[in-house]
Amino acid sequence: MGARIAVIPGDGVGKEVVPEGLKVLAAVDRTLEFRELDWGSDRYGKTGEMMPADALATLAGFDAIYLGAIGWPTVPDHVSLWGCLLPIRKAFEQYVNLRPVRLPPGIRSPLAGRGPRDIDMLFIRENTEGEYSGTGGRVHVGHPHEIAVETPVFTRLAIGRAARYAFERAQERSHRLVSVTKSNASRYTYVLWDEVVAETGRDYPGVTVERMHVDAMAARMVLRPDSIDVVVGSNLFADILTDLGGALQGSLGLCASANLNPDKRWPSMFEPVHGSAPDIAGKGRANPIGAVWSAALMLRHLGDEASAARVERAIDAVCEDGSVLTGDLGGAASTSEVGDAIVATLS
Ligand code: IPM
Ligand code: MN
């Protein structure tokens, strides 16, 4: 295939799980080319910048971006995230954040009596605006009357393109879509959300769309996960619900995500959901499966469905076998032992 991949291990356990993903990628496709970039909080400590001034221009020349994690206690989170991850999602119009929530065989969900057949959802998170729009400010800083405002921004364009992507995925799967909203309390933004989702749905008469308030959706994910298949949600709502999803699928360490520019005009970015995990960083204990699964999503986006499916099958087989798993899943294996086991299991 010969795709060129920019690799940003980033911070904390990102530096430990990314090498495992690269190991698996190299095993399934020898033609991939990788270039590692030392962007992140260490770089910030040395230069005052998370990434160089021409970072976006550099990334634009790659076919995809493979990222570990951004965020470290030495840098305020809003500085590190707005200095690296969030500008990449926005600049490259990665308007869909695709997050499979699937319980692999052999992994125990904290939900009693639930197995892989009950927990198999696909979240489509709008990834460029909403509560992440960056619109706002602080005035009277330090005074007792200091105020902060941060305004969610919702546009017909961004809602529509995320919804369209979700309807297409629903059409390929169960023909059922849940749209997460809060248009009872919100009078403007989520009302527009509902309208645009409904309008988009007219082009997909075979898909049944259900509107669900986010609070009720949180309860439904716990009580009736089997009733949920494809979900579309705003940036913040789907951020929160996919962490809940991670818990339901046995560990946040398993969760994968794809920040997609579906039009393929810009590179898409693939990253595990778990973050830099300062509490276990540097100990070789992080679960690399979320990163490896994200690498599978990258292969799929690059058009190599066969290799993507091969990697996902190997992940399932390692989970089902259960003898080589990290501590978050009740095992005693190290990060690299799990990576090696996935490579050895590729069939
Ligand atoms: C995620 C993360 C990020 C987000 C943070 C680190 C800004 O939680 O990718 O889910 O909220 O998008
Ligand atoms: Mn999150």
Side-chain angles (χ1 to χ4, degrees):
M1 223 167 37
R4 294 180 65 241
I5 316 292
V7 179
I8 310 173
D11 299 326
V13 300
K15 293 180 210 158
E16 298 166 50
V17 297
V18 158
E20 303 311 311
L22 296 179
K23 218 188 245 179
V24 175
L25 285 168
V28 295
D29 184 345
R30 285 172 202 284
T31 71
L32 293 173
E33 277 177 52
F34 301 104
R35 181 163 144 215
E36 193 166 319
L37 302 160
D38 70 345
W39 305 350
S41 299
D42 290 348
R43 189 175 197 286
Y44 185 91
K46 288 180 218 140
T47 68
E49 280 178 333
M50 294 292 292
M51 53 186 194
D54 60 356
L56 296 173
T58 301
L59 291 178
F62 287 86
D63 296 302
I65 305 160
Y66 186 51
L67 183 134
I70 295 294
W72 195 247
T74 52
V75 186
D77 282 336
H78 67 279
V79 173
S80 56
L81 273 323
W82 281 93
C84 187
L85 181 71
L86 298 173
I88 298 174
R89 288 180 180 170
K90 284 178 207 288
F92 296 142
E93 293 196 87
Q94 296 169 348
Y95 60 78
V96 162
N97 192 324
L98 187 70
R99 297 186 161 187
V101 171
R102 181 171 72 77
L103 178 66
I107 303 295
R108 221 172 82 183
S109 171
L111 293 184
R114 295 294 191 178
R117 293 223 323 241
D118 302 310
I119 299 168
D120 185 0
M121 318 173 197
L122 187 64
F123 274 77
I124 286 95
R125 166 183 178 189
E126 197 293 315
N127 209 31
T128 59
E129 57 173 35
E131 289 78 2
Y132 289 63
S133 70
T135 320
R138 287 167 66 165
V139 285
H140 310 306
V141 176
H143 290 279
H145 54 292
E146 178 169 1
I147 63 164
V149 287
E150 189 137 4
T151 312
V153 171
F154 285 76
T155 64
R156 189 172 276 284
L157 175 89
I159 302 166
R161 62 193 180 180
R164 192 161 292 285
Y165 187 89
F167 275 103
E168 278 164 15
R169 301 292 78 70
Q171 212 165 35
E172 294 162 358
R173 289 173 54 118
S174 64
H175 296 87
R176 285 184 288 119
L177 174 66
V178 179
S179 166
V180 181
T181 186
K182 192 63 194 171
S183 51
N184 50 357
S186 140
R187 289 195 288 178
Y188 309 112
T189 53
Y190 286 102
V191 176
L192 177 65
W193 175 277
D194 290 352
E195 286 172 12
V196 175
V197 171
E199 279 165 30
T200 309
R202 288 192 205 126
D203 293 340
Y204 302 88
V207 176
T208 316
V209 56
E210 211 181 326
R211 208 160 50 88
M212 189 102 206
H213 294 305
V214 63
D215 44 356
M217 183 65 172
R220 176 168 166 186
M221 284 176 69
V222 172
L223 297 174
R224 291 188 297 131
D226 53 313
S227 72
I228 305 168
D229 188 44
V230 181
V231 182
V232 62
S234 64
N235 214 336
L236 183 63
F237 289 172
D239 172 49
I240 297 167
L241 292 177
T242 51
D243 261 39
L244 172 56
L248 302 185
Q249 73 183 109
S251 167
L252 203 56
L254 293 172
C255 302
S257 82
N259 300 275
L260 298 177
N261 174 244
D263 320 333
K264 303 204 172 167
R265 175 158 177 229
W266 305 105
S268 294
M269 175 165 65
F270 301 82
E271 49 162 339
V273 177
H274 52 63
S276 65
D279 53 330
I280 58 160
K283 298 182 180 150
R285 288 170 44 200
N287 188 345
I289 294 182
V292 174
W293 198 334
S294 302
L297 299 180
M298 180 164 79
L299 291 165
R300 180 165 293 128
H301 181 74
L302 292 171
D304 189 356
E305 174 57 36
S307 299
R310 246 183 112 195
V311 172
E312 287 170 345
R313 277 199 307 274
I315 290 171
D316 278 9
V318 166
C319 288
E320 187 160 29
D321 169 70
S323 63
V324 188
L325 294 173
T326 43
D328 55 315
L329 293 172
S334 69
T335 306
S336 65
E337 284 166 349
V338 174
D340 291 343
I342 294 172
V343 170
T345 309
L346 288 165
S347 57

